[in-house]
Amino acid sequence: MCYAEPGPLVQLDCGTISGALGATCVYPMQVIRTRMQAQSMNTDAAYKGMSDVFYRTFQREGLRGFYKGLFPNLLKVVPAASITYMVYEFMKKSLDLE
């Protein structure tokens, strides 16, 4: 059975969906990492570790706190993932690496 090759729009859509899902899944960990990096070491309110950041964020902001800034992040990540996926597929065909 022979299948037709997906066109560039299908490839772009696949890159968009995978980029959006991947970025959304890992975003809470990115928020925790960013908050740990941005804290001041000289204050009494310094985080003691990842679990402390998680606990404080959840207590103060709820689940929404882990997704603050997701939309601007998706505006950055999704086009990059889509273009990367398309270029990878194009180069794979161009170099006969299938």
Side-chain angles (χ1 to χ4, degrees), residues 3-98:
Y3 295 103
E5 289 289 320
L9 286 178
V10 172
Q11 292 176 354
L12 194 63
D13 288 345
C14 288
T16 299
I17 292 167
S18 69
L21 284 174
T24 303
C25 290
V26 301
Y27 195 73
M29 292 303 292
Q30 189 174 342
V31 167
I32 290 171
R33 183 196 68 196
T34 303
R35 288 183 181 197
M36 286 184 70
Q37 288 175 338
Q39 74 180 340
S40 175
M41 297 301 258
N42 298 332
T43 64
D44 291 331
Y47 295 116
K48 295 172 181 62
M50 286 179 59
S51 58
D52 189 36
V53 178
F54 179 86
Y55 178 74
R56 288 193 204 179
T57 301
F58 187 73
Q59 287 288 71
R60 294 177 186 157
E61 305 167 48
L63 281 177
R64 292 182 69 150
F66 294 105
Y67 290 95
K68 277 187 175 178
L70 177 63
F71 184 70
N73 187 59
L74 288 176
L75 290 177
K76 173 184 70 169
V77 170
V78 169
S82 302
I83 292 167
T84 300
Y85 189 80
M86 271 189 65
V87 169
Y88 173 79
E89 290 297 323
F90 175 78
M91 294 305 294
K92 191 169 79 170
K93 288 176 191 163
S94 297
L95 298 172
D96 262 349
L97 297 175
E98 292 183 26

